[in-house]
Amino acid sequence: MAEETIFSKIIRKEIDADVLYQDELVTAFRDINPRTPTHVLIIPNKLIPTTNDVESEDEAMMGRMFTVAKKIAKEEGIAEDGYRLIVNCNAHGGQEVYHVHMHLVGGSPLGPLLMV
Ligand code: 5GP
């Protein structure tokens, strides 16, 4: 059984977060330490520690993360200029929170690769 992270508490509204979207599959909220003018995290409501743990039964959730990213990018006014979606995995990927999350970053030019 995977260990819960702070993100499970955000999903259950047990701790404060700037939640932009939530449905039965995913939750989206602003990153507490934004690296870009727009920095939103989109997560499955189910605790999946890393992308190594994603199963075929999770495909609807993973797909919803993309459609919610698109919706939020539009709402944030960054869709046309563009943005980046990042999912880090394990130590070499720089993952700090072991609950799969997609970073939606944008609002300024990001360069060829965002290394942080
Ligand atoms: P990772 O490095 O795992 O891909 O990214 C984890 C992200 O979660 C970081 O950008 C970090 O700022 C964010 N984060 C960590 N704890 C919290 C929290 O309690 N609330 C919010 N909103 N973001 C968090």
Side-chain angles (χ1 to χ4, degrees):
M1 187 75 179
E3 213 169 296
E4 281 195 355
T5 73
I6 194 104
F7 289 178
S8 290
K9 291 188 165 55
I10 290 174
I11 292 165
R12 293 196 299 262
K13 307 261 170 70
E14 290 170 6
I15 65 160
D16 273 349
D18 189 353
V19 175
L20 301 178
Y21 180 90
Q22 186 167 52
D23 64 19
E24 77 284 9
L25 294 181
V26 305
T27 300
F29 51 95
R30 292 194 195 280
D31 196 292
I32 203 167
N33 178 26
R35 299 346 180 266
T36 51
T38 292
H39 189 170
V40 174
L41 301 174
I42 303 157
I43 68 176
N45 292 342
K46 174 184 168 186
L47 171 50
I48 303 171
T50 80
T51 53
N52 289 334
D53 305 301
V54 173
E55 303 290 352
S56 54
E57 69 197 35
D58 304 321
E59 285 171 4
M61 241 172 270
M62 297 297 114
R64 184 69 59 85
M65 286 164 69
F66 277 90
T67 52
V68 169
K70 168 191 137 178
K71 171 184 156 56
I72 292 174
K74 189 170 179 207
E75 287 169 0
E76 293 285 309
I78 62 172
E80 201 164 314
D81 282 340
Y83 52 89
R84 186 167 291 154
L85 301 174
I86 303 167
V87 182
N88 295 324
C89 180
N90 278 340
H92 283 194
Q95 185 173 6
E96 289 171 1
V97 179
Y98 282 79
H99 184 134
V100 164
H101 50 281
M102 174 188 279
H103 296 256
L104 163 59
V105 287
S108 60
L110 299 172
L113 184 64
L114 187 67
M115 297 302 290
V116 287

